[in-house]
Amino acid sequence: QVQLVESGGGLVQPGGSLRLSCAASGSIFSINVMGWYRQAPGKERELVTTITSGGSTIYAHSVKGRFTVSRDNAKNTVFLQMNSLKPEDTAVYYCYAAIRINPYIGNDYWGQGTQVTVSS
């Protein structure tokens, strides 16, 4: 059983900052990619950023230069530092991880989602 537990969402004013965390726990052999997706009301879920175990990153164009992803491989945790937040960043943010539970079996796992609201 693998779980992803997120924390750190909330309400922030435009221009403010938030830091999200996501910890994976359970029967984990290895984690390759971790990252964050988001879904705004009435829109499809979209990629925000991903990071590999080696530290390679991908960012959506809309967040590049404002958001920074990082991870602690020893603690199976991924972080998202969000700066210069805009109202259009308002969404439910979902943690994602590609996890192997043994050398032969891997699956995609999702967190429960955390609400980020950017509003004055």
Side-chain angles (χ1 to χ4, degrees), residues 54-75:
S56 297
T57 58
I58 295 174
Y59 291 94
H61 178 75
S62 59
V63 307
K64 201 172 290 187
R66 301 186 298 121
F67 290 11
T68 302
V69 64
S70 60
R71 66 189 275 180
D72 183 334
N73 290 330
K75 296 182 178 180

Side-chain angles (χ1 to χ4, degrees), residues 92-116:
V92 177
Y93 283 69
Y94 295 92
C95 176
Y96 161 82
I99 296 175
R100 288 195 172 272
I101 58 173
N102 62 48
Y104 313 105
I105 299 175
N107 286 303
D108 294 338
Y109 293 87
W110 295 89
Q112 79 282 4
T114 186
Q115 178 70 46
V116 171

